[in-house]
């Protein structure tokens, strides 16, 4: 079988982008980072590459990098920015995408994927949902903090792409999902049940065990929403899974809690905001979810953080 040597262009040398870039490069796959501007590119070059810390061992990868203004065409793009940056990021790259290019979308939540796809009708958009964990320890230095799993899928074309073998070689544990939207909805529902409450109570995931009635009511409303949105499988056993996740991650702060604690913008518009907007579109009244959204917006506003 001939080697597939298409370059992976990776936009966003943040936590997940760096994690993918380092592992692909380590497996001999050509990688090209796309950085925000000339200043960042110069800083990256001065640093000498990306460093991945895994099991306490640091290794630097001197990967090629460029900015969006580079003229070379792009065949395969991993979009590894936050959901709120995705549409603008793809708009800057759309003219470079080859016909039948592939764009892999790593964003959590829902909403950004449709916005990206509308900008690049010539491309195949592959959606991802990941439970891997990584964080930036320093500029150009990322720690692989939690092994997990990544599901990839394309609601418009169920054929798996041939490069999944490259992910396998790179040690990126994954599955091709025939129901990626169901996976993304399920993750969104879990995040909506857990993350906002951890922010509002300023607590670790495990402390939510002290609020069983509130969690149960939210899960009921989220399940109703999932049914209404045509995602009954994503509603199945939701409350039990929320309880399991809370138990399994009891000592952790949720990603939204970490964002708020560090004064960073959250992805609220693509999580609880998306859920409430979907409910409204379907004229579904979900009083507890709506009240949670309002409380969270107020909380973020009081800290000078955006509501979108
Ligand atoms: P991050 O903030 O660490 O990295 C995003 C990077 O994208 C940043 O370096 C930012 O500068 C860059 N970026 C944004 N716009 C750009 C542009 N136009 N051009 C070039 N670079 C640009 O974010 P992350 O933690 O890697 O998260 C990415 C997505 O993955 C999010 O939706 C997040 O919810 C999801 N996710 C993250 C993790 C994790 O452990 N970090 C786990 C699961 C899912
Ligand atoms: O994904 C999460 C997050 O913190 O964003 C979990 C652990 C599921 C909590 O919602």
């Amino acid at each position: 079988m001939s080697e597939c040597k298409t370059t992976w262009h990776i936009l966003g040398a943040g936590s997940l982008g760096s994690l993918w870039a380092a592992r692909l490069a380590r497996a001999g796959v050509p990688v090209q980072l796309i950085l925000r501007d000339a200043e960042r590119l110069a800083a990256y070059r001065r640093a000498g590459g990306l460093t991945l810390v895994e099991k306490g061992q640091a290794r630097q990868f001197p990967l090629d990098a460029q900015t969006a203004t580079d003229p070379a065409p792009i065949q395969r793009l991993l979009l590894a920015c936050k959901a709120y940056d995705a549409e603008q990021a793809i708009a800057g790259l759309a003219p470079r995408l080859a016909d039948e290019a592939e764009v892999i979308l790593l964003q959590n939540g829902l909403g950004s994927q449709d916005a990206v796809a509308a900008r690049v009708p010539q491309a195949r958009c592959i959606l991802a949902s990941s439970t891997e964990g990584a964080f930036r320890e320093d500029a150009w230095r990322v720690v692989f903090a939690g092994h997990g799993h990544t599901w990839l899928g394309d609601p418009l074309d169920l054929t798996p792409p041939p490069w999944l073998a490259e992910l396998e070689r790179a040690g990126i544990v994954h599955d091709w999902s025939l129901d990626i939207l169901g996976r993304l909805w399920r993750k969104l529902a879990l995040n909506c049940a857990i993350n906002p409450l951890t922010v509002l109570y300023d607590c670790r995931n495990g402390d939510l065990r002290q609020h069983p009635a509130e969690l149960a009511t939210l899960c009921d409303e989220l399940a109703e929403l999932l049914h209404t949105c045509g995602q009954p499988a994503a509603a199945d056993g939701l409350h039990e899974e929320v309880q399991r996740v809370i138990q399994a991650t009891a000592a952790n702060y949720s990603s939204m809690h970490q964002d708020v604690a560090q004064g960073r913008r959250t992805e609220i518009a693509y999580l609880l905001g998306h859920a409430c907007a979907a409910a409204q579109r379907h004229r579904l009244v979900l009083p507890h979810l709506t009240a949670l959204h309002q409380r969270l917006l107020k909380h973020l506003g009081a800290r000078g953080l955006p509501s979108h």
Side-chain angles (χ1 to χ4, degrees), residues 12 14-16 36 40 82 106-108 132-134 136 267:
S15 307
L16 276 199
R36 212 187 266 273
R40 297 237 185 149
K82 289 282 174 62
L106 276 186
Q107 289 63 46
N108 198 17
E132 293 195 312
R136 255 183 300 182
E267 294 182 300

Side-chain angles (χ1 to χ4, degrees), residues 27-64:
V29 175
V31 167
Q32 182 73 243
L33 297 175
I34 302 178
L35 304 179
R36 212 187 266 273
D37 52 34
E39 206 178 313
R40 297 237 185 149
L41 184 57
Y44 170 78
R45 288 187 173 143
R46 277 196 302 278
L50 276 184
T51 299
L52 178 66
V53 183
E54 192 177 1
K55 294 182 192 135
Q57 302 276 15
R59 176 173 164 194
Q60 193 180 48
F61 296 86
L63 307 176
D64 288 343

Side-chain angles (χ1 to χ4, degrees), residues 185-198 204-223 226 234-250 289 292:
W185 270 110
R186 174 67 159 212
K187 176 99 190 307
L188 179 146
L190 285 167
N191 286 164
C192 286
I194 298 173
N195 298 11
L197 287 180
T198 62
R204 294 176 196 266
N205 293 352
D207 299 325
L208 295 184
R209 288 173 295 202
Q210 292 160 27
H211 305 277
E214 201 169 2
L215 276 173
T217 311
L218 285 174
C219 288
D220 283 350
E221 291 192 356
L222 284 162
L226 292 170
D236 200 27
L238 177 64
H239 186 210
E240 290 72 22
E241 192 176 354
V242 164
Q243 289 172 311
R244 268 200 305 279
V245 170
I246 285 175
Q247 189 69 31
T249 61
L289 207 64
L292 183 70

Side-chain angles (χ1 to χ4, degrees), residues 30-192:
V31 167
Q32 182 73 243
L33 297 175
I34 302 178
L35 304 179
R36 212 187 266 273
D37 52 34
E39 206 178 313
R40 297 237 185 149
L41 184 57
Y44 170 78
R45 288 187 173 143
R46 277 196 302 278
L50 276 184
T51 299
L52 178 66
V53 183
E54 192 177 1
K55 294 182 192 135
Q57 302 276 15
R59 176 173 164 194
Q60 193 180 48
F61 296 86
L63 307 176
D64 288 343
Q66 57 179 226
T67 63
T69 56
D70 190 286
I74 296 175
Q75 186 61 47
R76 185 174 305 141
L77 173 69
L78 179 72
L79 201 63
C81 56
K82 289 282 174 62
Y84 48 72
D85 281 329
E87 189 178 0
Q88 203 185 353
I90 200 73
L93 287 176
R96 289 181 58 189
L97 288 190
D99 284 345
E100 297 179 17
E102 297 159 300
V103 182
I104 298 104
L105 302 173
L106 276 186
Q107 289 63 46
N108 198 17
L110 280 163
S112 67
Q113 297 88 348
D114 283 347
V116 167
R119 294 274 187 168
V120 286
Q122 76 273 37
R124 180 185 190 191
C125 287
I126 291 175
L127 282 45
S129 177
S130 182
T131 60
E132 293 195 312
F135 65 89
R136 255 183 300 182
E137 194 175 54
D138 210 340
W140 320 114
R141 187 179 173 97
V142 164
V143 178
F144 191 1
H147 287 260
H149 201 97
T150 301
W151 285 269
L152 300 137
D154 175 358
L156 302 178
D157 177 357
L158 300 181
T159 323
W163 44 259
L164 293 181
E166 290 188 342
L167 302 192
E168 191 79 41
R169 281 212 306 276
I172 299 174
V173 183
H174 67 278
D175 269 310
W176 181 250
S177 169
L178 301 182
D179 180 22
I180 191 66
L181 284 177
R183 289 234 161 244
L184 284 160
W185 270 110
R186 174 67 159 212
K187 176 99 190 307
L188 179 146
L190 285 167
N191 286 164
C192 286

